Amino acid sequence: MVVVLGVVLALAVAGCGAVVWAARGGPRWVRAVATATLVAGELVRRSGKDGRRGGED
């Protein structure tokens, strides 16, 4: 379990690095990784909202 969490953490840190690098004009593959990271983050954020009750946004 610790290994899985370590891998997930490493991927998250790498994704954040790709977002920063892409913002500074990195190569095409970095922009693709950054886009995938931002999309995954948005999906996680939306899935957290779906689990709440009431009219909260």
Side-chain angles (χ1 to χ4, degrees):
M1 188 66 168
V2 173
V3 173
V4 172
L5 290 175
V7 169
V8 170
L9 179 62
L11 287 173
V13 170
C16 291
V19 169
V20 171
W21 191 6
R24 295 181 178 200
R28 184 180 302 180
W29 68 268
V30 172
R31 291 191 297 264
V33 171
T35 301
T37 301
L38 293 173
V39 168
E42 183 66 23
L43 290 173
V44 169
R45 188 176 72 90
R46 287 187 183 184
S47 70
K49 284 186 177 182
D50 291 343
R52 295 183 187 156
R53 290 186 177 203
E56 298 176 0
D57 281 2

